[in-house]
Amino acid sequence: MGTSFKNRIIVLCVGLVLITAIASLAGFWWSTSQFKERQVQQDIQKAQSVYQQYLVARERLLVTAASVLTQDFGFKQAVATRDASTISSVLFNHSQRINAELMLLLDMRGKLISTNQNQLDLPQDMRPLVKQLLAHQERSAFVVLDKKLYQAIILPVKAPRTIAFTIVGFVVDEPIAQQLKGLTGMEMSFISLGEKMKASSILLPEDRDLFAYLHEQKISRWFGEYPLYINAEVALPSLSQVPVSLILSADLRSEYEEFDQLVLTIVFLSCITMLFGFLASGFLAKNLATPLQQLTVMARRFAKGDYNAEIHESRPTEEICQLVDAFHEMGDDIQAREKQIRYQASHDALTGFFNRTSALPILDALVSTEQVYYLLALDIKGLRHINDKLGPRIGDSCIEAVAKRIEIVTSSFEGLNIRLGGDEFLTVLQAKPDSTMENCVDSFLAELNKSYTIHNFEITLRFSVGVVHSPEQADNADDSIRRALIAADNAAHGVEDVYFYQTGEDEAYLERLEIIDELKQALIEDDGQLFMTYQPKLNMSSGMVDKVESLIRWKRKSGDWVSPELFIDLAEQSGLIVDLTQWVLKTVISQVAIWKTQGVTMKAAINVSAQDIADIDFIPHLQRMLEEFAVAPGLITIELTERDMIENEEKGIAALLALKALGVHISLDDYGVGQTSLGRLKMLPIDELKLDKVFILKLAASHQDQCIVRSTISLGHQLGFSVVAEGVEDAESLQLLKEMKCDYAQGYYLSRPLKAADLTQWLGQYHKAG
């Protein structure tokens, strides 16, 4: 069940406030985080600058102190004379004046002469240290001596040539780191990776790695843990063997605390805003929902047909008043449209007659009584040609004019007029005691067959009429309509325009429908119900059987055989003939391919219909099958009857030319009993004439048949056709055909149609017997 409008407004308002607060908080969080990160980076850069200045100041002090020391004449003389006491005194006093923790005097070989620290543990060979310090060119460098870090400088003692080197340095330890921390606000850590020593303002556990310690320092806040320090490493000027770095670590505790305080403030303000939004939206929703609830009640009353409902609101808004007026206008419109829709739902828009769906209950009520009715199903003949030649507007006007004529003719009868669809009508007439059914139908048609004036055209229409007697032949609507349409269909295909339904035809019609349905299923399943048989054709000149006619057979699942003439005719009527022919093409061509693999080159003739030739996919499908099974087109003959050829001559000739171009042969079947004239025969692109069996069955006993057959064979040969005679029943007829130089013969005298396996066996026996 859906939520109420009031609750939706509250949820919407509070949701908007919540989304705004979340968006603001997210934006603040991101921008503040970016700002703090930039600020910390700036602080690190400032700390690095302060340190650089501090480093330069100490370096200047070292350079000055060393220069004063190396330029002192008394010191030079003491060095030259190796006056140890004087040198020691000078170094000690000088270190005290500048607070230098390191004072060393080395000879030219790097050997220690004197130092201000008696317990200093120095390397025995100081030459590498001297060499690297000299490389810094009077600049300080960080060195590790006796596990202590010094910022040191080396200067030569010249008298006038260099006689010694003096090294002056300040120790770098925790107090220095603390001093720098006070100047920069950053934690300062000096590390020397090579010597594994450090001097840091951070209190570290003993023997603890600085980087691991800094990485492990986390602070818990909100939804996880965050790093406590942001670190920056600065490489210091040092010896290549003992690199020294300065680690600047920014402590983020204060930034986190400030940021969290701001977040809590925003969350608090958002909660206050949401509370206010909840109260305000509740008030707004109440003012909106109350009139809408009354409008809902009004709409429900409208749904029940009460279009006079009113709304009771003490202070309705202008919009509510407009909505109420719109509801009343809608009620009036609904009433008018309901009437129109009910009429349109039950009547045909063009003729005004009842449509099939709405007429069924009315017709049921009529035919279920004891009163006698005549049901006339009418179909306008040739309406399709009127539509094609004069246009659909004239065709619709014809239908409309026929409906008006039917309405006038039936006005004196008690009955019913129905438009079943297209150009089909059903008229139910109540029988009159002074008139028979035949007289009633004749008088009805006499009026209906009179000419019609439509758009200044004088048009004469003819009708196919099927008549059913009720209740004698039908006592319900479905049976009545079906049987009337069956009778109308018989009238359309018969000689007379009127056909009276005969009892039992319905069952035959349903049987045909069942056969069509089973045929469709048999094609889909391809389970062996449909199969091909092949009737041999004897090559009269060679005496060999090198051609067969393919004939389809059907044995239903029930075991009953269905006549090919019946199911092929039904397939043509239902439109299944195209699918059926495609199945035949695939089956026959694949069988020709199988025979070829068995060493038998056999030509096969396939019967097709006019619908097959008219199908645009017929030739492409035939070509695909030939390519798929690698069968030469010359092994296939397409047989058409004269009726199929003249049904659409222009289109048929075009299709035959396309077949000829493909390489297959064309045969004109049942020649002699159709309407093909000699003039038309010379125009047809065919390869073969097939004489109808009516001329062959009694050929040996009929002189007239012999004359017809002999002249036809001669004519066919002169036109370049081969001639096939079907229906050979005896040896005498076969001998006569041979004397007449007929090309091929087939019939029961040679063999009945055989399945593929049986034909292969028959061929073996035939050739063996000679």
Side-chain angles (χ1 to χ4, degrees), residues 121-133:
D121 184 12
L122 297 174
Q124 292 184 357
D125 187 3
M126 298 286 286
R127 282 178 295 179
L129 176 64
V130 172
K131 184 178 181 181
Q132 293 189 41
L133 284 174

Side-chain angles (χ1 to χ4, degrees), residues 79-316:
V79 172
T81 60
R82 292 293 194 272
D83 186 350
S85 59
T86 302
I87 293 172
S88 178
S89 176
V90 171
L91 291 179
F92 178 78
N93 293 331
H94 203 65
S95 67
Q96 291 297 315
R97 282 197 299 273
I98 63 172
N99 292 325
E101 289 80 3
L102 180 65
M103 283 284 191
L104 298 177
L105 183 64
L106 305 174
D107 63 13
M108 296 299 294
R109 292 174 296 180
K111 185 176 180 181
L112 180 65
I113 299 174
S114 181
T115 178
N116 66 332
Q117 296 185 34
N118 296 327
Q119 303 299 324
L120 189 62
D121 184 12
L122 297 174
Q124 292 184 357
D125 187 3
M126 298 286 286
R127 282 178 295 179
L129 176 64
V130 172
K131 184 178 181 181
Q132 293 189 41
L133 284 174
L134 285 172
H136 283 265
Q137 299 180 352
E138 298 186 0
R139 298 294 301 275
S140 64
F142 286 83
V143 298
V144 178
L145 295 174
D146 195 15
K147 297 183 179 180
K148 290 184 180 180
L149 181 64
Y150 295 93
Q151 181 184 1
I153 192 169
I154 186 171
L155 287 177
V157 180
K158 296 181 179 181
R161 62 181 180 82
T162 301
I163 59 174
F165 295 100
T166 179
I167 298 176
V168 182
F170 295 122
V171 72
V172 179
D173 53 8
E174 279 76 8
I176 296 298
Q178 291 292 344
Q179 185 181 358
L180 285 172
K181 176 183 177 181
L183 291 173
T184 62
M186 299 278 175
E187 299 289 352
M188 294 287 181
S189 302
F190 296 87
I191 62 171
S192 174
L193 299 178
E195 296 293 331
K196 296 185 179 179
M197 57 81 60
K198 54 185 173 292
S200 177
S201 62
I202 302 173
L203 296 177
L204 295 174
E206 289 294 332
D207 299 327
R208 186 66 191 276
D209 182 72
L210 174 67
F211 288 106
Y213 177 81
L214 292 175
H215 180 71
E216 291 172 359
Q217 300 306 301
K218 303 286 184 180
I219 184 170
S220 298
R221 52 189 292 270
W222 298 106
F223 306 109
E225 292 186 339
Y226 294 81
L228 184 59
Y229 294 102
I230 291 181
N231 304 296
E233 183 176 0
V234 180
L236 297 176
S238 56
L239 306 184
S240 60
Q241 295 178 350
V242 186
V244 179
S245 297
L246 170 65
I247 308 301
L248 292 87
S249 303
D251 192 332
L252 301 179
R253 286 189 184 90
S254 60
E255 281 76 7
Y256 286 150
E257 290 176 359
E258 292 176 5
F259 181 78
D260 293 347
Q261 187 62 41
L262 287 173
V263 170
L264 289 174
T265 302
I266 292 177
V267 170
F268 175 74
L269 292 176
S270 299
C271 292
I272 296 297
T273 306
M274 281 190 288
L275 178 61
F276 175 77
F278 178 79
L279 297 175
S281 60
F283 178 76
L284 175 65
K286 181 179 179 182
N287 288 339
L288 289 175
T290 300
L292 291 178
Q293 288 174 350
Q294 295 189 26
L295 286 172
T296 302
V297 174
M298 179 186 291
R300 289 173 180 167
R301 293 178 65 179
F302 275 21
K304 296 178 180 179
D306 181 6
Y307 300 105
N308 298 316
E310 299 288 343
I311 186 172
H312 302 286
E313 178 67 21
S314 58
R315 298 175 62 186

